[in-house]
Amino acid sequence: MHQVHEDQQIELNRPIPVKHYGRWLLTAFLLASAVIVASSLATNPNFHWDVVGEYLFDAQILRGVGWTLALTLVAMIFSILIAAALVIMRDSGNPVLSTLSWLWVWFFRGTPVYTQLVFWGLLSVLYPRISLELPGLGAILDLRTKDVFTPAIAAIAGLAFNESAYLAEIFRAGFKAVDGGQTEAAQALGMRRMKILCRIIIPQAMRMIIPPTGNETIGMLKTTSLVLAVPFAYDLTFAANTISNRLYLPIPLLVVAGLWYLSITSLLMWGQSYLERYFGRGIDRNQISIAPKESA
Amino acid sequence: MSTVSSDVCVDIRSVHKFYGDFQVLFDVNLEIAKGEVCVVLGPSGSGKSTLLRCINHLETIAAGRIYVNGDLIGYSERNGKLYCLAEEAIAAQRRNIGMVFQRFNLFGHMTAIQNVMAGPVLVKGHSRRCAELLAMSLLERVGLADRARQYPSQLSGGQQQRVAIARAMAMQPDVLLFDEPTSALDPELVGEVLETMKDLARTGMTMIVVTHEVGFAREVADRVVFMDQGRIVEKGAPESVLDNPRNPRTQAFLSKVL
């Protein structure tokens, strides 16, 4: 049977697609496996689903979720700011700043984040007092370190400093990926270095920077579980461990923590896709439609 | 120090340049008058693009001086000593020198009109409203008013280059430098860009054009300069350089491209 196009007399091809028997076989196998796993999840009493349900919205767990989110976001914001400064210093052409930036990345990337967190926790042992004296004026600042460097501050500093070293390299790669002609065109217009960076390079580098930075944010979410090293005792993992130690039931509390980490990750991924679409404007072809009407 | 008469726009004096040990420019001397259209021809690697990029200090010169409107480019000279200019001062000099690139180099995250507005708004600090009026009139002049809200990736090469010309003109420069503006274009798109440039030449714009388009040189140039291996080997009116070349290298080059 031939189908003929309405207005023109064109006989359309109707090729028979290649048959993928292997795919059907694999799908059947995976479905069967999923049924087995699901039934074991449902029937194995050791999962203690009643306990999962009981503690999923427990006050201590929710407070842990709040702290984990807060640590993640605040540490990421600081690490992004530090990393931006590090990249600008690195490419500034000033050998002193460039070396400083290199040393920072070398040190914080070169030691384990756990070690760094322990160190920041011990800072008040190392330096019990922070004071600033000016000749002729005497002490203008004198504080106990443990009042300033609280566990929360130590945790955020530890996470942010460590992360900034990785982000700095991601940012640098993103800046490098912007075509050199963009800088030349901006220079030819008479723009200065910082303006070229802020208005020409960064907006275009964001496209390259956002996916790995989202990756790092999700990594940070899980790294916050190490703040126990400070010691900081309010995050999600610590809360879940405390409860499971009390109940002698580690599995259901692991499930509770896992479900929360998964939901936060999903939320972060959703936010990332928005940012990607915004900064892909003009370049990613399918995203051109969201062009802002406003101008340069 | 400069003894430039008021009708000279660009004054290139004994310029030498090296890339490492390799010398790319040898004692280049060239004066371009206000309103003059100077076309620089020559084989690839002859140093013509490099010379152009020295004029707005995208490349530094090893010896010699370049003046634009009597202003020494890239340096200041006091008591016989040469001082590097600070970044701000170099940026200020570049504001009077427009440049159009072979690969267009439009800002990819900005629409056509935003590209044209970039100079007035981001460099000169003009209001958006003011800049938008100017940008729109320039886009109309290059025949792209209907493409104002499109991104470079949605425009053809010829259209992108016309936007780039409008972007350079938006700074109202004293001189426009063209670095092989049609070399990256499909043959059928070359015409529209050359047409735009001819239109510009008619308005009395001072232009230095590095190109391989001999036809454009013949029709529009006030003067043709022929470069080879880092040297200016011949310069003069287009009829004399293109039709009666004296230098054997010019003769060989023209016999190949014509």
Side-chain angles (χ1 to χ4, degrees), chain A residues 181-182 184-185 187-193 195 199 203-204 282 285 288 291-296, chain B residues 53 58 87-88 91 94-95 97 101 105-109 114 117 122-123 128 149 151 153-154 167 171:
Chain A
Q182 297 285 306
E184 283 192 350
Q187 283 178 324
L189 283 178
M191 278 190 219
R192 297 187 61 186
R193 214 180 77 84
K195 187 145 268 177
R199 304 306 294 260
Q204 298 187 75
R285 281 195 168 268
I288 277 164
K293 256 194 152 171
E294 242 270 297
S295 27
Chain B
R53 292 164 58 82
L58 284 179
E87 192 216 346
E88 167 62 31
R94 285 179 178 144
R95 283 164 208 169
I97 309 169
F101 297 86
N105 296 347
L106 288 182
F107 303 131
H109 59 306
Q114 288 172 341
M117 289 165 66
L122 297 177
V123 178
R128 277 171 200 289
R149 306 280 167 202
Y151 284 104
S153 61
Q154 295 168 298
R167 175 176 69 177
M171 289 297 287

Side-chain angles (χ1 to χ4, degrees), chain A residues 21-41:
Chain A
Y21 299 108
R23 287 183 195 171
W24 288 105
L25 216 64
L26 187 63
T27 308
F29 173 74
L30 289 178
L31 275 176
S33 314
V35 168
I36 294 166
V37 170
S39 80
S40 99
L41 277 173

Side-chain angles (χ1 to χ4, degrees), chain B residues 77-97:
Chain B
E77 200 167 12
R78 296 191 298 271
N79 306 325
K81 275 188 182 151
L82 213 52
Y83 297 87
C84 288
L85 283 184
E87 192 216 346
E88 167 62 31
I90 294 170
Q93 290 183 329
R94 285 179 178 144
R95 283 164 208 169
N96 300 321
I97 309 169

Side-chain angles (χ1 to χ4, degrees), chain B residues 147-168:
Chain B
R147 300 303 182 113
R149 306 280 167 202
Q150 299 203 295
Y151 284 104
S153 61
Q154 295 168 298
L155 301 173
S156 75
Q159 291 169 336
Q160 288 188 52
Q161 194 60 297
R162 281 145 67 198
V163 173
I165 292 171
R167 175 176 69 177

Side-chain angles (χ1 to χ4, degrees), chain A residues 51-93:
Chain A
V51 179
V52 172
E54 193 183 330
Y55 282 96
L56 193 56
F57 296 102
D58 177 82
Q60 199 177 351
I61 292 288
L62 288 183
R63 195 179 58 178
V65 170
W67 270 110
T68 291
L69 251 180
L71 285 176
T72 305
L73 296 180
V74 175
M76 278 314 283
I77 288 167
F78 277 111
S79 61
I80 285 169
L81 294 176
I82 298 169
L86 288 173
V87 182
I88 292 168
M89 284 162 67
R90 179 80 179 255
D91 296 342
S92 66

